[in-house]
Amino acid sequence: MEQRETFQPGNVVYVMYRNPHAQDVANVQEAAVVENPENPGELCLFLYDTYYPLDEEMAIYHTEAEAEKAYEYYFGSSEGGDIIG
């Protein structure tokens, strides 16, 4: 997502998240855009009780449908269930 300036604190977004314990497992996960507690005035993502930088390395989508479409493009169909973690 290129337009980082469109995010505001409190926005709900969707990211593709890889399980750190099983790198072959990825899913779409809801995250919140929040103010970075270590750098006031800077935004970051809050996901799984952790703050992540809001940078170009993170695949961020405004809607669940956009995230699901990208997931299917990169990882194939989500046969057998919901891809939201």
Side-chain angles (χ1 to χ4, degrees):
M1 178 111 334
E2 295 177 17
Q3 297 179 342
R4 304 281 178 207
E5 67 277 357
T6 64
F7 296 113
Q8 299 294 320
N11 287 153
V12 173
V13 295
Y14 298 87
V15 298
M16 278 190 267
Y17 181 80
R18 284 192 179 266
N19 183 327
H21 304 291
Q23 286 296 304
D24 61 339
V25 176
N27 59 25
V28 172
Q29 186 63 47
E30 187 176 278
V33 177
V34 298
E35 188 168 321
N36 188 333
E38 296 178 8
N39 290 321
E42 180 180 290
L43 297 178
C44 65
L45 292 177
F46 188 66
L47 173 68
Y48 290 122
D49 296 327
T50 304
Y51 296 96
Y52 293 92
L54 191 61
D55 61 22
E56 297 299 320
E57 292 185 23
M58 188 70 84
I60 305 169
Y61 303 91
H62 286 283
T63 68
E64 183 178 348
E66 289 175 329
E68 287 176 358
K69 184 176 180 180
Y71 181 94
E72 289 179 12
Y73 176 80
Y74 290 109
F75 299 103
S77 176
S78 60
E79 294 177 27
D82 191 8
I83 62 172
I84 300 295

